[in-house]
């Protein structure tokens, strides 16, 4: 909606020569003019509930120059310059309204320190997507502070992989007293961290609910808490492809933490195929220096551990994703996030049957390679037929677009959080049965 209070209108009126048809983005179809306040009134008058207004500001430097010229007049009229800026800087406002007021929900997330995209994939991206819906507010921080809940507003407090020991009992009591439903976010095999068992598995029993990324993990976690929500790893948005530009050369991407043992059996075959390819195959390695050093071809590049944006940019410039996972308990609990990321960027994946066998259609949305020989065969197929490789990558990207974006999970996630709040008395009673010390 065009904003009548935009500073350019004021200046033109003051200088003279104002013409309606010269108002830029406004046109002759706008028979009425609105300020931010009358926009709200008009929306309410139409029987809708105004929710929020997003200001569209263009040419901020020009506005600042105007505001500096107007400052003496603003002071003389008793107008607060900050308030004037809020009203006069936007050329337009984009409003969101609804037929009825949305149910409010306050989410507080206590995150890990930034490391290897764990915050982005499990906390910030899914929760920011949810917070784009009306009524949902979000606060993410490493800070353990407990903000007070507004009266009548449901509150969910999410702990990301916080190993709760008996020393955490006072903090958990504070959360309960503040009225929060407490949720533990945990997406790794708990048996891999000795501190979990040493603390009596309080990380799961001392909270109202647990959220995780896969059903195998959920099955383990339900031993300590029956209220487990499975929220698969997804993409926040579908990237625009930048690969498959030159069919004469392809790049294989390998970027993961703690995969040295998983990838080691495949390296001789990778070296052999790279030698056969004679420059038509390069390798992009992120983080794993051992793997990089083991590659005998000069057609390779190494990037140390980097932020998530850089990681995705490096991946997106490649055509092949190599996703090896050895067959063991720890790996079997993992999610297929690497395939989702690679497919979103239109890479063709060659992956282990562990985890990825549940996601990839062999030869349709990628290749499953259980052995080094199978890996070598799949890699040779990709190199020999770039058009087929691109078609498979396109099919995988289409599947991610249709089923594996945050937008596909938002309603279910919101419904689960609402359900936890609606059942908080029941969940709190069960929590105190498991950990009576929280009642103090």
């Amino acid at each position: 909606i065009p904003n009548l209070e935009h500073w350019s209108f004021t200046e033109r009126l003051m200088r003279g020569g104002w013409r309606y048809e010269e108002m830029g983005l406004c046109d002759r179809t706008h028979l009425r003019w609105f300020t931010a306040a009358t926009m709200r009134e008009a929306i309410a008058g139409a029987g809708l509930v105004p929710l929020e207004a997003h200001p569209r500001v263009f040419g901020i430097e020009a506005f600042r120059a105007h505001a500096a010229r107007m400052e003496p007049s603003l002071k003389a009229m008793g107008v607060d310059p900050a308030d004037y800026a809020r009203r006069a800087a936007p050329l337009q406002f984009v409003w969101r309204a609804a037929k009825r007021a949305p149910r409010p929900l306050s989410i507080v997330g206590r995150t890990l320190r930034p490391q290897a995209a764990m915050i982005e994939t499990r906390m910030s991206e899914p929760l920011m997507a949810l917070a784009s819906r009306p009524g949902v507010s979000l606060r993410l921080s490493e800070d353990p502070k407990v903000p007070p809940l507004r009266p009548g507003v449901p509150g969910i407090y999410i702990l990301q992989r916080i190993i709760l020991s008996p020393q955490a009992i006072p903090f958990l009591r504070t959360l309960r007293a503040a009225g929060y439903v407490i949720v533990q976010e945990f997406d790794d095999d708990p048996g891999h961290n000795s501190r979990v068992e040493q603390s009596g598995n309080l990380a799961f029993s001392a909270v109202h609910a647990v959220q995780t990324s896969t059903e195998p993990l959920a099955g383990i976690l339900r031993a300590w808490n029956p209220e487990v929500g499975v929220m698969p790893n997804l993409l926040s948005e579908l990237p625009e492809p930048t690969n498959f530009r030159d069919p004469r050369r392809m790049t294989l991407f390998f970027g993961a933490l703690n995969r040295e043992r998983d990838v080691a059996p495949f390296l001789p075959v990778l070296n052999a195929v790279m030698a056969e390819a004679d420059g038509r195959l390069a390798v992009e390695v992120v983080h794993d220096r051992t793997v990089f050093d083991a590659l005998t071809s000069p057609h390779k590049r190494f990037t140390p551990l980097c932020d998530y944006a850089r990681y995705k940019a490096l991946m997106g410039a490649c055509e092949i994703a190599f996703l090896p996972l050895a067959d063991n308990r720890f790996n079997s609990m993992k999610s297929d996030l690497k395939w989702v990321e690679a497919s979103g960027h239109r890479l063709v994946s060659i992956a282990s049957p562990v985890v990825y066998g549940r996601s990839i259609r062999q030869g349709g949305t990628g290749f499953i390679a259980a052995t080094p020989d199978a890996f070598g065969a799949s890699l040779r197929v990709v190199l020999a037929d770039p058009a087929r490789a691109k078609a498979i990558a396109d099919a995988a990207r289409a599947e991610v677009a249709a089923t594996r974006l945050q937008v596909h999970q938002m309603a279910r996630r919101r419904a689960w959080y609402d359900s936890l709040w609606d059942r908080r008395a029941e969940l709190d009673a069960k929590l105190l049965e498991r950990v009576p010390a929280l009642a103090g």
Side-chain angles (χ1 to χ4, degrees), residues 347-367:
L347 277 70
V348 56
S349 295
I350 305 176
S352 300
V354 175
V355 171
Y356 302 109
R358 301 191 294 263
S359 305
I360 293 176
R361 288 184 288 107
Q362 177 74 325
T365 57
F367 293 94

Side-chain angles (χ1 to χ4, degrees), residues 356-418:
Y356 302 109
R358 301 191 294 263
S359 305
I360 293 176
R361 288 184 288 107
Q362 177 74 325
T365 57
F367 293 94
I368 295 296
T371 65
D373 286 345
F375 165 68
S378 298
L379 187 53
R380 290 182 177 97
V381 166
V382 168
L383 290 170
D385 195 344
R388 180 188 175 192
K390 181 178 178 295
I392 293 172
D394 281 331
R397 185 172 184 269
E399 185 166 314
V400 167
T403 63
R404 301 300 297 271
L405 301 179
Q406 293 294 349
V407 66
H408 300 128
Q409 191 182 88
M410 286 163 55
R412 185 163 66 85
R413 183 183 288 266
R414 174 67 198 262
W416 187 56
Y417 290 157
D418 285 343

Side-chain angles (χ1 to χ4, degrees), residues 204-220:
F204 315 117
S205 62
V207 296
H208 293 109
V210 180
Q211 68 183 34
T212 191
S213 56
T214 69
E215 284 294 346
L217 263 176
I220 291 176

Side-chain angles (χ1 to χ4, degrees), residues 110-175:
R110 180 179 169 186
T111 66
L112 296 167
R113 292 187 300 276
Q115 52 179 300
M118 292 179 184
I119 294 176
E120 289 88 345
T121 56
R122 293 303 298 173
M123 293 289 281
S124 62
E125 289 187 354
L127 294 178
M128 287 171 67
L130 187 57
S132 71
R133 302 190 68 158
V136 181
S137 65
L138 173 65
R139 178 182 180 273
L140 287 176
S141 174
E142 299 172 46
D143 194 332
K145 288 182 180 178
V146 182
L149 283 171
R150 300 192 310 276
V153 176
I156 306 292
Y157 198 106
I158 304 175
L159 305 168
Q160 186 184 19
R161 291 199 192 188
I162 304 298
I163 309 301
L164 299 172
S165 67
Q167 287 70 39
I169 295 297
F171 171 68
L172 297 172
R173 288 176 183 162
T174 300
L175 288 177

